[in-house]
Amino acid sequence: MTEDELFISTLDDKADECERKAVLTCTDFLDLRKQSLASVYLKKRKDVRWQFYGGYEDAERKIIIFLPFYIENFGDYIKDNADEAPLRIFRADKDGFSTLSHRDYLGALTGLGIKREKLGDIIVDEKGCFFFAKPSVSKFIEANLTRAGRGTITVREADGENEFHYKANVKEKCCFVQSMRLDSVCSAVFNISRSKASEFIERGAVFLNDEQIFKPDCRVSAGQKVVIKGKGRAILKDDSSKSKKGRIALIADVFI
């Protein structure tokens, strides 16, 4: 059995457990490729109620939640049943003289022996960071995470949405493309050559609305999200105008 086949089998097990026991079940955190694989597969299973969840709207790393019949709205249910939350959000406050990066915090967590799939996004700010983790490792993190990089940190579980407020850093960009082919759009939006964009697509590094795309000539349109793994992401806003030379004036929100 391949790794992907094993992953699909895990999805089936979680979905079946949800139905059999009538309980909320979930996966570990998934990267973009596994999210894409799961999305394509689960859309074919009409008997399953599921959704992605990463702790906040723009999360990159997400878990999949399988919902039993009695949960109509996951957000409302978790507000009333906080002990069943499928992830925890932590606050790490650093000392006043260290400069710590995303790599420092991630290295500190994995250095404790915590597997990457147990950890979600890490959002760094001037005073430290917020990060997400599965409940199974939460107590261990609180008891053992005291250093990151060359700095000391103090870690505690955050007070959910009352403390964590995320605002994406987005810049609107207008660019011109010959057509709404994926390679052309990626080239213009992310400031790379068209050949480089095609290379990213063909090696599976580009995702359109969370699905992995391998064809450079795939057609895209306004309203879709484009992600190049390790490069950036953008929301295509408008493609309705054209220049005098017939090129499409594409407006996109680029996350920076």
Side-chain angles (χ1 to χ4, degrees):
M1 182 177 289
T2 67
E3 182 180 346
D4 286 351
E5 289 172 337
L6 183 61
F7 173 61
I8 294 299
S9 177
T10 299
L11 294 179
D12 283 333
D13 289 344
K14 293 292 184 181
D16 293 343
E17 181 185 4
C18 173
E19 182 179 3
R20 186 175 66 256
K21 297 182 179 180
V23 295
L24 185 151
T25 61
C26 64
T27 66
D28 285 336
F29 285 97
L30 308 176
D31 60 19
L32 289 171
R33 195 188 75 82
K34 284 193 173 180
Q35 288 175 43
S36 174
L37 184 63
S39 179
V40 171
Y41 176 71
L42 290 174
K43 285 177 181 177
K44 299 175 183 177
R45 285 200 56 171
K46 304 300 183 181
D47 60 319
V48 176
R49 295 176 62 234
W50 63 279
Q51 68 181 71
F52 287 118
Y53 180 62
Y56 66 107
E57 184 177 357
D58 294 319
E60 179 173 316
R61 294 179 61 80
K62 300 173 185 176
I63 62 176
I64 294 176
I65 300 165
F66 295 94
L67 301 170
F69 67 91
Y70 56 85
I71 300 180
E72 294 186 5
N73 183 285
F74 170 72
D76 292 340
Y77 179 80
I78 288 301
K79 287 180 181 178
D80 297 329
N81 300 271
D83 58 320
E84 294 185 40
L87 55 77
R88 299 283 188 268
I89 179 170
F90 289 90
R91 175 65 195 178
D93 293 308
K94 70 180 185 65
D95 57 51
F97 52 85
S98 298
T99 300
L100 301 177
S101 66
H102 182 282
R103 179 177 294 183
D104 291 322
Y105 292 113
L106 178 59
L109 286 159
T110 56
L112 293 175
I114 299 172
K115 294 182 178 179
R116 187 65 179 102
E117 57 264 30
K118 300 297 181 182
L119 303 169
D121 284 2
I122 300 173
I123 299 96
V124 180
D125 57 42
E126 294 180 355
K127 296 182 179 180
C129 74
F130 288 97
F131 65 91
F132 297 85
K134 293 298 295 289
S136 59
V137 297
S138 60
K139 290 184 178 179
F140 181 79
I141 288 172
E142 287 186 289
N144 293 280
L145 187 61
T146 59
R147 297 191 61 84
R150 296 183 178 181
T152 58
I153 56 176
T154 302
V155 177
R156 58 180 172 78
E157 189 169 339
D159 185 18
E161 295 180 356
N162 294 325
E163 184 175 2
F164 174 70
H165 303 283
Y166 176 79
K167 184 178 180 180
N169 190 8
V170 176
K171 182 179 180 180
E172 186 178 82
K173 180 175 183 177
C174 180
C175 48
F176 293 90
V177 294
Q178 292 288 355
S179 71
M180 292 298 288
R181 282 174 50 122
L182 183 57
D183 56 353
S184 181
V185 168
C186 286
S187 173
V189 171
F190 297 105
N191 295 321
I192 55 178
S193 68
R194 190 161 173 174
S195 60
K196 189 67 176 178
S198 294
E199 181 184 325
F200 277 126
I201 295 166
E202 289 169 352
R203 74 167 190 242
V206 177
F207 299 80
L208 183 63
N209 282 358
D210 299 322
E211 291 192 11
Q212 194 172 25
I213 305 296
F214 294 92
K215 296 182 178 180
D217 63 352
C218 174
R219 309 299 292 188
V220 300
S221 60
Q224 293 184 302
K225 178 176 69 173
V226 180
V227 177
I228 300 182
K229 189 175 181 180
K231 188 72 178 177
R233 57 183 167 142
I235 304 294
L236 309 181
K237 292 174 61 178
D238 185 72
D239 61 354
S240 60
S241 300
K242 290 188 176 182
S243 69
K244 292 181 179 180
K245 294 183 178 181
R247 301 179 73 195
I248 299 169
L250 174 62
I251 299 174
D253 279 340
V254 182
F255 292 77
I256 57 177

